[in-house]
Amino acid sequence: AERCVPNPSQRDIILIAGFVLHHQYFLAINTIAERCSSVIVQQLLKIIMNLQIAYIAAAALGRVSAFTPSTISTARQTIFRSASSSTTSTLNMSSEDTITLGIFGGGTVGGGIVEILSNKADYFKQLTGKSIEVKKVCVRDASKPRDFTLPEGCSIVTSYDDILNDDSIDVAVEVMGGTTDAKDVVVGALTNGKSVVTANKALIAKDLPEIETLLSTLESGTQFRYEAAVCGGIPIIRSMQSDFVGDNIQLMCGIINGCTNFMLTAMDRDKKSYDEALSEASALGYAEADPTLDVGGFDARSKLKILMRLAYGMNVEEDEISCRGITELTKMDFEYAKMLGGTIKLLGVAEKNDAGDVSAYVAPCYVTNEDALSSVNGATNAIEVLSDNLVSSIYIGQGAGRYPTANSCINDIVALAKGDQNLLPFNPTSETKFVNNYESVFYLRLNYRDQVGITRQVGEVCEKHGVSIHSILQNPVAKNQESAFAIVTDKVDYAAILKVLADVEALSWCKGKPFYMPVLRDDWQN
């Protein structure tokens, strides 16, 4: 400004800076964005907007015309020479710049995160231009031995506030689990301007609208990332956020709980009972001390709700999604599934109907041996997405465990270190409606006391509710085996099946509650 105008006033300085930036701010922003944090870039954008307004106002008053082309050029060179010098000093600082983490939870996943960060520190620095440092790990019991080595300068703390109120910590990583304290941690971190990385699907499924509302009130540099919350190491969240934005998803179906898939594999392939399979899953660490969330299907339902929001832009209460676990399955069901040419998997399914509405459920499902999901065994997860553009996309990988889950958290941390931004982490909302009814072929298993007329009565009940029977299956009954037969229906409404089951259960020969499950594909016979 001094080179252009003798004894420049504050207004002259603003006008010249505004003029230069008006023509050059794209170059300036690109240069600074490569070397500075997202917060600095956001602040600069606000300054530029103010300068542009000043420049436009000055132009309207004819004030800018007082500057000759030569003085403008000189001003531009002078300012950018000064900016270049400033950028160089920023660059020197940036090469040593760090992104600091506070981790809530020092258990399996937290330890995995620390280990990966330590093992690949140099690589991450080259990749992001920043050192990623763990400053604090918050645990319940500081005296408990850890199975990982704390990085230099990292301390163990027991108070959430030690991380939440530490202004030097940029990112809060929540891997403690639960929906009470974890919520306080996540909300507190976001409110204090810290980005959050979490693996907590239960919290997100329960409080997604509240989290989304909070994010809308924060600076855009404050990010919320949750890749590890659904299917552990499978990058399904990021794919939903980026790979299907130009597509229309018609169906999502998948094995999204590793514990139950391990158990079903043992029951099918190894001919184990439900109790034997659960004991083995518990011994290997796949099942919690209280396995209800897994075997009841509730864990899978939480994940399905999150995927439905990403795929269809809809917020659905978890209780609205039909949820049935694997506790009612028996060896006999696997025998009948084998007779039909397939097996049984616990699936989360969401599908758009012809009217554009979406239905969803979590349930054991019959899948044929030719189906890609039938060969996914053990604790492995898999998700298939059917869409207009990509047709069929299948994601398979480890859905839980120390390193698969930690790896997804690391990917989110590295994205933050790079300055990646996602203004809508749950994707935009839509007007898509949820309906708690769907059409499917169904498998029914009916336990009975032997008497005359059973088949006739079942046929009459089905006819009453408009359910067409495709086939009836029955194995010879051994002495110590429960008497049961199976029915496969044609495609029918879920609501009609519930009416059939209620009427059959009331018949004198029916022993206990009938078991039912959907058949995954309409063309299962082909």
Side-chain angles (χ1 to χ4, degrees), residues 28 46 199 220 301 351 455 463 478:
K46 292 179 182 177
S220 58
R301 185 175 66 178
E351 184 173 16
T455 306
E463 181 183 13

Side-chain angles (χ1 to χ4, degrees), residues 244-469:
F244 291 92
V245 293
D247 211 341
N248 293 304
I249 294 174
Q250 302 299 332
L251 170 73
M252 293 185 299
C253 58
I255 299 165
I256 50 181
N257 180 272
C259 171
T260 51
N261 199 51
F262 176 87
M263 291 176 61
L264 294 179
T265 301
M267 293 173 71
D268 182 22
R269 185 182 61 194
D270 305 329
K271 313 304 178 190
K272 295 188 176 180
S273 68
Y274 172 86
D275 291 336
E276 290 170 339
L278 178 57
S279 295
E280 186 175 0
S282 299
L284 293 173
Y286 295 131
E288 300 291 340
D290 178 5
T292 304
L293 290 178
D294 291 322
V295 299
F298 304 111
D299 174 81
R301 185 175 66 178
S302 295
K303 297 171 184 175
L304 182 62
K305 173 185 172 171
I306 297 169
L307 292 175
M308 289 171 65
R309 171 55 198 271
L310 289 166
Y312 302 115
M314 59 196 315
N315 286 319
V316 182
E317 293 295 331
E318 282 192 81
D319 290 343
E320 292 186 56
I321 301 173
S322 173
C323 183
R324 296 174 57 248
I326 65 171
T327 56
E328 299 173 30
L329 279 168
T330 66
K331 286 183 179 181
M332 188 176 298
D333 296 313
F334 285 97
E335 291 172 4
Y336 285 136
K338 188 175 182 179
M339 288 176 61
L340 291 168
T343 188
I344 301 169
K345 297 291 184 183
L346 181 73
L347 301 180
V349 180
E351 184 173 16
K352 187 180 288 186
N353 62 25
D354 293 338
D357 300 330
V358 172
S359 60
Y361 61 86
V362 173
C365 294
Y366 169 81
V367 294
T368 66
N369 289 331
E370 289 73 30
D371 197 297
L373 296 178
S374 71
S375 59
V376 178
N377 294 318
T380 306
N381 282 195
I383 299 175
E384 181 176 12
V385 181
L386 301 183
S387 60
D388 292 349
N389 299 340
L390 298 180
V391 186
S392 177
S393 307
I394 300 178
Y395 303 79
I396 300 177
Q398 295 303 304
R402 185 186 189 94
Y403 296 112
T405 307
N407 190 76
S408 288
C409 292
I410 291 292
N411 292 343
D412 283 341
I413 293 166
V414 168
L416 292 173
K418 285 181 175 179
D420 292 352
Q421 296 229 5
N422 188 347
L423 300 180
L424 294 173
F426 302 111
N427 288 351
T429 56
S430 75
E431 298 299 319
T432 304
K433 294 180 181 178
F434 176 75
V435 292
N436 55 7
N437 190 25
Y438 60 93
E439 288 187 337
S440 178
V441 174
F442 283 90
Y443 162 98
L444 315 178
R445 189 229 319 136
L446 310 176
N447 292 64
Y448 65 91
R449 301 176 185 87
D450 196 17
Q451 70 179 55
V452 175
I454 290 177
T455 306
R456 174 183 57 80
Q457 291 182 37
V458 171
E460 290 172 348
V461 170
C462 288
E463 181 183 13
K464 173 184 173 183
H465 297 292
V467 175
S468 175
I469 295 175

Side-chain angles (χ1 to χ4, degrees), residues 106-370:
T108 301
V109 178
I113 293 170
V114 172
E115 287 184 270
I116 295 173
L117 287 174
S118 298
N119 294 337
K120 303 202 72 173
D122 292 341
Y123 177 75
F124 291 149
K125 187 169 184 179
Q126 293 176 38
L127 190 64
T128 67
K130 289 182 171 63
S131 297
I132 303 175
E133 296 182 358
V134 180
K135 185 172 182 181
K136 294 175 182 177
V137 178
C138 185
V139 299
R140 286 193 183 93
D141 183 1
S143 63
K144 182 179 178 180
R146 305 290 156 190
D147 61 356
F148 59 92
T149 303
L150 283 178
E152 184 178 352
C154 177
S155 59
I156 292 285
V157 299
T158 56
S159 171
Y160 301 149
D161 288 341
D162 287 338
I163 293 177
L164 295 178
N165 296 333
D166 188 337
D167 293 336
S168 69
I169 292 178
D170 304 304
V171 179
V173 181
E174 187 276 304
V175 288
M176 60 194 288
T179 58
T180 51
D181 286 7
K183 180 181 178 180
D184 294 338
V185 162
V186 167
V187 171
L190 291 171
T191 304
N192 288 349
K194 303 182 193 301
S195 291
V196 168
V197 172
T198 180
N200 197 328
K201 73 267 181 181
L203 172 63
I204 297 171
K206 178 176 177 287
D207 295 313
L208 192 156
E210 184 178 342
I211 293 170
E212 189 171 33
T213 300
L214 174 60
L215 290 170
S216 69
T217 67
L218 304 176
E219 293 288 338
S220 58
T222 306
Q223 299 285 296
F224 181 82
R225 293 182 175 265
Y226 57 101
E227 182 62 70
V230 177
C231 296
I234 300 177
I236 188 63
I237 298 297
R238 188 164 300 187
S239 187
M240 286 288 177
Q241 291 169 336
S242 59
D243 299 335
F244 291 92
V245 293
D247 211 341
N248 293 304
I249 294 174
Q250 302 299 332
L251 170 73
M252 293 185 299
C253 58
I255 299 165
I256 50 181
N257 180 272
C259 171
T260 51
N261 199 51
F262 176 87
M263 291 176 61
L264 294 179
T265 301
M267 293 173 71
D268 182 22
R269 185 182 61 194
D270 305 329
K271 313 304 178 190
K272 295 188 176 180
S273 68
Y274 172 86
D275 291 336
E276 290 170 339
L278 178 57
S279 295
E280 186 175 0
S282 299
L284 293 173
Y286 295 131
E288 300 291 340
D290 178 5
T292 304
L293 290 178
D294 291 322
V295 299
F298 304 111
D299 174 81
R301 185 175 66 178
S302 295
K303 297 171 184 175
L304 182 62
K305 173 185 172 171
I306 297 169
L307 292 175
M308 289 171 65
R309 171 55 198 271
L310 289 166
Y312 302 115
M314 59 196 315
N315 286 319
V316 182
E317 293 295 331
E318 282 192 81
D319 290 343
E320 292 186 56
I321 301 173
S322 173
C323 183
R324 296 174 57 248
I326 65 171
T327 56
E328 299 173 30
L329 279 168
T330 66
K331 286 183 179 181
M332 188 176 298
D333 296 313
F334 285 97
E335 291 172 4
Y336 285 136
K338 188 175 182 179
M339 288 176 61
L340 291 168
T343 188
I344 301 169
K345 297 291 184 183
L346 181 73
L347 301 180
V349 180
E351 184 173 16
K352 187 180 288 186
N353 62 25
D354 293 338
D357 300 330
V358 172
S359 60
Y361 61 86
V362 173
C365 294
Y366 169 81
V367 294
T368 66
N369 289 331
E370 289 73 30

